[in-house]
Amino acid sequence: MSGFLTAFVLSFVLAFLFGYLCGSIPFGLILTKLAGTQDLRSIGSGNIGATNVLRTGNKGLAAATLLGDMLKGTIAVIVAGHFGGPNAAIAAGVGAFIGHLFPVWLKFKGGKGVATYIGVLLGLFWPAALAFCAIWIAVALIFRYSSLAALVASVVVPVMLFWAQHTALAAVFALMTAALWIMHRANIQRLMNGTEGKIGSK
């Protein structure tokens, strides 16, 4: 029994670390540097995510950043799930999300996690990922605030997972949603003050 428990814990830890390293890849920073733009952290909000990359005026780079930040979460989940099963997939997903928030390569100063959150969700339960994107698009079109769209959509995810009887996933994404809101605390303050930058603004 102790051998089984040791193997289970080791599998969980390895999956988490694999996910963390995947999540730590700062696609926004890498792609903008390759494109020859100024340091992404000195533009707009200083964030390394796709919304801030869009402020460089390069929509292609922003789309590539969004895709990269999503897929690193999805790939971490799929690979870990293939070798370690469902629990390892969840561990890798959480690791990827945390890796994006606190990347080891950038002194643990990363992004706010929205794209990676979606990517992890896509790998674990894709219908909820589609629901997130649909809600994000609707809110963004109406209010033109990327942060507000992400915050609203993230609240729906744990509810949808619980309704779909994925209780464990619902609990995991409730915690990830809480982390997402904490990372957006400055955005929330600006939304309340009416000073948050709208989509397309520089």
Side-chain angles (χ1 to χ4, degrees):
M1 188 66 176
S2 60
F4 173 79
L5 182 61
T6 300
F8 176 81
V9 172
L10 182 60
S11 173
F12 187 90
V13 171
L14 289 175
F16 178 87
L17 290 175
F18 170 70
Y20 176 81
L21 291 175
C22 289
S24 290
I25 302 171
F27 282 103
L29 194 60
I30 292 171
L31 291 172
T32 50
K33 280 192 174 184
L34 289 175
T37 66
Q38 69 187 89
D39 192 320
L40 184 60
R41 292 166 292 185
S42 67
I43 300 171
S45 65
N47 190 261
I48 63 171
T51 300
N52 205 41
V53 174
L54 188 60
R55 294 189 176 103
T56 67
N58 192 320
K59 294 180 180 179
L61 277 182
T65 299
L66 177 64
L67 185 62
D69 285 345
M70 282 179 59
L71 288 181
K72 66 187 181 183
T74 306
I75 290 171
V77 167
I78 292 173
V79 172
H82 175 74
F83 289 104
N87 290 326
I90 294 173
V94 173
F97 180 69
I98 293 176
H100 183 78
L101 300 183
F102 309 106
V104 64
W105 323 116
L106 300 178
K107 299 180 180 179
F108 306 104
K109 296 178 181 178
K112 296 179 181 177
V114 177
T116 307
Y117 181 105
I118 298 169
V120 171
L121 190 58
L122 183 64
L124 292 171
F125 189 65
W126 64 265
L130 294 183
F132 183 105
C133 293
I135 295 167
W136 189 97
I137 291 170
V139 175
L141 286 174
I142 295 169
F143 298 102
R144 291 186 58 213
Y145 290 116
S146 176
S147 57
L148 179 63
L151 292 170
V152 172
S154 69
V155 170
V156 176
V157 168
V159 177
M160 181 177 179
L161 289 170
F162 184 79
W163 177 77
Q165 298 183 343
H166 292 287
T167 309
L169 277 185
V172 168
F173 276 93
L175 293 174
M176 288 172 63
T177 294
L180 205 67
W181 276 66
I182 291 171
M183 298 305 295
H184 281 79
R185 58 192 180 279
N187 301 83
I188 294 170
Q189 187 62 53
R190 289 194 294 269
L191 284 167
M192 294 174 66
N193 294 337
T195 57
E196 177 73 328
K198 292 190 174 183
I199 295 172
S201 65
K202 293 191 176 183

